[in-house]
Amino acid sequence: MRDERVPVGPKVATGAALFLIVSPLDVPAWIPVIGDLDVLALGILAVKVFVDASPERVVEEHRDALQRGDSLFDRDVRIGLALVGRGIRRLVSRGRPSLPGTAIRESEDKPA
C-alpha cells in the first residue's frame, strides 16, 4: 500500500474493502455462518485484487523481501514489538500497584 509504484485505483479499492470489513454496517449478519464468511471473503478478495492489479515487478520485489524477512511489513512488526516491549518495561519499572485490601498498614507491622 505504501509503494508509490502501485496505482491509486487498487489502493482505493482495497481501502474501501477494509472500510466495509470494519464498518458497523453488516447487512447479511443475520444469516448464520454466511454473515461471518462475507467479511472473510471480502478480505481475501480485496488482497487478491490488490496484488493482481499491482505491477508484477513490484509484487515480485515485495515477495522476495518477505521471504528474506526484510520487507516493510517485517520492519513494522519489529518496530511494533519494540514499542510494546518498551511500554511493558516502563510499566514494570514504575512498580506494580498493590491490589485493594493487600496493602499492609503500619499499625499491623508493629507489635502491640
Side-chain angles (χ1 to χ4, degrees), residues 59-106:
V59 172
E60 286 302 317
E61 182 181 311
H62 285 283
R63 281 187 181 147
D64 292 342
L66 281 167
Q67 288 177 349
R68 289 190 313 269
D70 64 350
S71 68
L72 290 174
F73 175 76
D74 294 312
R75 187 189 64 135
D76 290 345
V77 168
R78 285 191 297 271
I79 290 171
L81 290 174
L83 290 174
V84 167
R86 187 179 304 155
I88 290 172
R89 283 191 297 278
R90 286 177 104 188
L91 287 173
V92 169
S93 70
R94 290 183 183 173
R96 289 190 331 196
S98 61
L99 296 174
T102 60
I104 298 175
R105 295 185 195 117
E106 261 186 60

Side-chain angles (χ1 to χ4, degrees), residues 26-39:
D26 195 14
V27 178
W30 56 272
I31 302 172
V33 182
I34 297 172
D36 294 328
L37 289 179
D38 70 328
V39 173

